[in-house]
Amino acid sequence: MRVADAEILIVPGLSGSGPEHWQSRWQGKLSTARRVNQRDSENANRNEWEEAIAREVLASARPVVIVAHSLGVIATLHAAQRVGEKIAGAFLVAPPSEAAMREMPSIDSAFLPIPRARLPFPATMVGSSNDPYADLLFARHLAQDVGAQFIDAGAAGHINIDSGHGPWPEGSLAFANFMARL
């Protein structure tokens, strides 16, 4: 599938993705990309985050491809239970573990447990061996549970600005390969 044939929904995690974050850069470069904005990106309410994603998916005229990061991955997994048949694919990066989410008071406990049902669309999940919010084994098992292809990004931290991933060219290549398979 070509990017021009899809609606690319950018789903950031907590605090959104600032202007230098790879998600924001991709949004600026991909002609059909738009961001799923949350009412409160600092304090994550599962129902609100899930509803915002579902609303954007349902409003899309073309096939939807989601590009989610961190807590946006978990919100996408919840939304997929409602609108999964309307999603053509998802590129899921650096999901946080249940243990990490429990320790963050700004995350609604209703995000737990993380949905682990097989996704009704193709997905790729990217994890890192030194992500402070989830170990590689967690990400690998989550990918396996939901039926996503897994990519080991190596020692890439949380794959965000703090870990040196502004442009993230390796991610761009992986996303291009993912799109080519849809």
Side-chain angles (χ1 to χ4, degrees), residues 96-108:
S97 70
E98 283 103 346
M101 290 171 32
R102 278 189 209 97
E103 302 220 355
M104 299 180 76
S106 60
I107 297 177
D108 179 7

Side-chain angles (χ1 to χ4, degrees), residues 89-171:
F91 191 77
L92 309 168
V93 180
S97 70
E98 283 103 346
M101 290 171 32
R102 278 189 209 97
E103 302 220 355
M104 299 180 76
S106 60
I107 297 177
D108 179 7
S109 63
F111 276 100
L112 300 172
I114 294 172
R116 292 178 180 268
R118 289 190 76 76
L119 296 170
F121 48 80
T124 291
M125 186 171 292
V126 182
S128 164
S129 63
N130 65 342
D131 187 335
Y133 300 105
D135 64 41
L136 189 64
L137 192 57
F138 163 80
R140 187 181 301 278
H141 284 156
L142 181 59
Q144 182 178 5
D145 290 347
V146 301
Q149 174 195 6
F150 184 72
I151 296 175
D152 179 345
H158 194 51
I159 312 176
N160 60 4
I161 292 295
D162 292 342
S163 62
H165 294 84
W168 193 34
E170 301 88 355

Side-chain angles (χ1 to χ4, degrees), residues 9 34 52-61 64 66 83 86-87:
L9 295 183
R34 71 180 192 276
I53 295 167
R55 186 174 44 250
E56 291 295 331
V57 167
L58 293 173
S60 299
V64 171
I66 292 179
V83 295
K86 301 279 188 184
I87 298 171

Side-chain angles (χ1 to χ4, degrees), residues 1 6 24 27 37 39 41 58 62 83 89 102 106 110 112 131 137 140 148 157 173 181:
M1 179 181 297
S24 298
Q27 182 180 352
N37 291 307
R39 182 189 64 78
S41 66
L58 293 173
R62 290 176 287 208
V83 295
R102 278 189 209 97
S106 60
L112 300 172
D131 187 335
L137 192 57
R140 187 181 301 278
L173 288 171
R181 292 191 316 269

